[in-house]
Amino acid sequence: MPSFDTIIRGGTVATAADTFACDIGIRDGLIAALGRDLGDADRVIDATGLLVLPGGIDSHVHFAQPSGPGIVMADGFESGTRSAAFGGNTTVLPFCVQQKGQTLREALKAYHAEAHGQCYVDVSFHLVIADPTDQVLGQELPALVEDGYTSFKVFMTYEGMALSDMEMLQVMSVARRTGALVMIHAENFDAIRFLVDKLEREGHVAPRYHAVSRPIPVEREATHRAISLAELVDVPIMIVHVSNGEAMEEIRRAQAKGLKVYGETCPQYLVLTEKDLEGLNMEGAKYVCSPPPRDKDSQEACWRGLETGVFSVFSSDHCPFRYDDPAGKLNPKSRTSFRWVPNGIPGVAARLPILFSEGVSKGRIDLNRFVALSATNHAKTYGLYPRKGTIAIGSDADIAIWDPERRRTLTHDLLKDGSDYTPYEGIEITGWPVVTMVRGRIVVQDGELVGEKGFGAYLAREKSPYAAPRREF
Ligand code: DUC
Ligand code: ZN
Ligand code: ZN
């Protein structure tokens, strides 16, 4: 009997720490051996000339999320996890959103039903806390953290979602007590409301004014406030989707003080700018997301944050709506004001090719930092390590094989999501994932979907050491 189910032979393996030539023996979905001359296997994959990396973990995606009256998100779990696999990802973490008046358990029941039997890659859920009642804070949330929902997002903006500073402090206190990680959408709600009203009164309603309504100080102020509140409670936080240098500097300063403040940035802040929102007619709606893409200096600042480690995770913030669709970007109200254009852009499949091409191929980051930013740090931050996020004996055989020389021009048809466009159309890419393998099973090979819907599993997560308080308070 062969010793392994699969051997990946002849490739260059990279982890967040090292790059080395080695074969990988896989048995029962796990990495069982690393070495040379591993013997025989049912299947041998020749990886000569290729990079063998941990499968991508995208810790910030939105699938099947209720998005307001008449608006439908373009991806559920089937198309969302399919697209993820085409982009070299083996695990994704979408958000289970609590609506006002809803219990977390009700929200979770509905969200698990959406995911059940639909996934091509593994998934785990963050919670979004929109209604932090005494019952939620005192009973539901602590129990759910013990059940493996070990991270939750809070919003500082959006009608029906924004928490007051008091509520933020209450949620942070529960996180500190239970060992969960709080993710924060940092934009100042009142400042945005003020600016949106003003712009609309002046007749500035085109999609481009979305960016004008939430300029950098809106994000910088909220980032500073979130960090200050977390410092008061002595709780680690993750500031998600950071778009510019001023917000990044707030995080860097906090880190220099020794606070456990983590930062995330996303592809839209590296390769798009607010100019993209200026397209003719409603074309700019394709780029409406929050925070909005900024300018070239902001792009450079975000690269600096990735290069220096201020940002430890790079996620897509995949939040897809179809463009030419009355349930999407071109809904009937969106022409009357940017206020009604659904917020979010697709990117789960484009994330890693963009980071590889713009980062590794162009020499901005090395391969090990690519692995850290694309997989390992996500696993460590969100309680999946070392089961996920690395290539080590005993870890799940979640592997992406990359051809570092393969050239592609990004077009929507390559990405296999449920939207009808990509905001990254036309970007030239060098480096492409040619095989995506989840727990030893190939899901995508050379642009073909060969995985089985439903093979992707739900993952309960551990508490992460990254979420442990400093205990200096
Ligand atoms: N925040 C996100 O994280 N995604 C899309 C929209 C938003 O505001
Ligand atoms: Zn957000
Ligand atoms: Zn998001």
Side-chain angles (χ1 to χ4, degrees), residues 275-396:
K275 291 247 172 283
D276 289 300
L277 279 88
E278 292 176 7
L280 284 179
N281 298 317
M282 289 294 287
E283 283 284 312
K286 291 179 176 177
Y287 305 90
V288 166
C289 59
S290 294
R294 309 286 185 186
D295 56 14
K296 292 278 172 203
D297 284 351
S298 299
Q299 291 180 347
E300 281 314 309
C302 289
W303 275 115
R304 223 172 37 249
L306 291 170
E307 289 157 14
T308 59
V310 177
F311 298 136
S312 49
V313 289
F314 183 74
S315 309
S316 68
D317 196 4
H318 178 85
C319 186
F321 298 96
R322 290 173 60 80
Y323 173 65
D324 193 6
D325 194 316
K329 297 281 189 182
L330 296 191
N331 69 78
K333 283 164 83 177
S334 65
R335 288 177 196 280
T336 68
S337 170
F338 62 87
R339 181 200 288 264
W340 303 111
V341 176
N343 257 258
I345 58 177
V348 70
R351 169 185 78 124
L352 294 184
I354 289 173
L355 185 66
F356 191 96
S357 184
E358 293 292 316
V360 181
S361 301
K362 292 192 176 171
R364 287 178 168 121
I365 57 173
D366 66 20
L367 191 56
N368 309 107
R369 191 171 291 274
F370 173 83
V371 171
L373 289 166
S374 65
T376 314
N377 290 351
H378 300 255
K380 288 182 171 176
T381 304
Y382 295 110
L384 288 169
Y385 189 82
R387 177 176 174 192
K388 304 287 190 187
T390 193
I391 292 180
I393 291 173
S395 294
D396 283 356

Side-chain angles (χ1 to χ4, degrees), residues 367-437:
L367 191 56
N368 309 107
R369 191 171 291 274
F370 173 83
V371 171
L373 289 166
S374 65
T376 314
N377 290 351
H378 300 255
K380 288 182 171 176
T381 304
Y382 295 110
L384 288 169
Y385 189 82
R387 177 176 174 192
K388 304 287 190 187
T390 193
I391 292 180
I393 291 173
S395 294
D396 283 356
D398 290 355
I399 289 170
I401 303 180
W402 284 70
D403 181 345
E405 309 297 336
R406 186 79 59 97
R407 287 171 185 260
R408 286 269 186 271
T409 303
L410 283 183
T411 54
H412 179 247
D413 67 303
L414 279 177
L415 306 176
K416 312 298 182 203
D417 60 36
S419 188
D420 57 352
Y421 78 101
T422 171
Y424 306 114
E425 186 80 25
I427 294 182
E428 301 292 341
I429 297 289
T430 302
W432 196 260
V434 291
V435 173
T436 304
M437 173 186 282

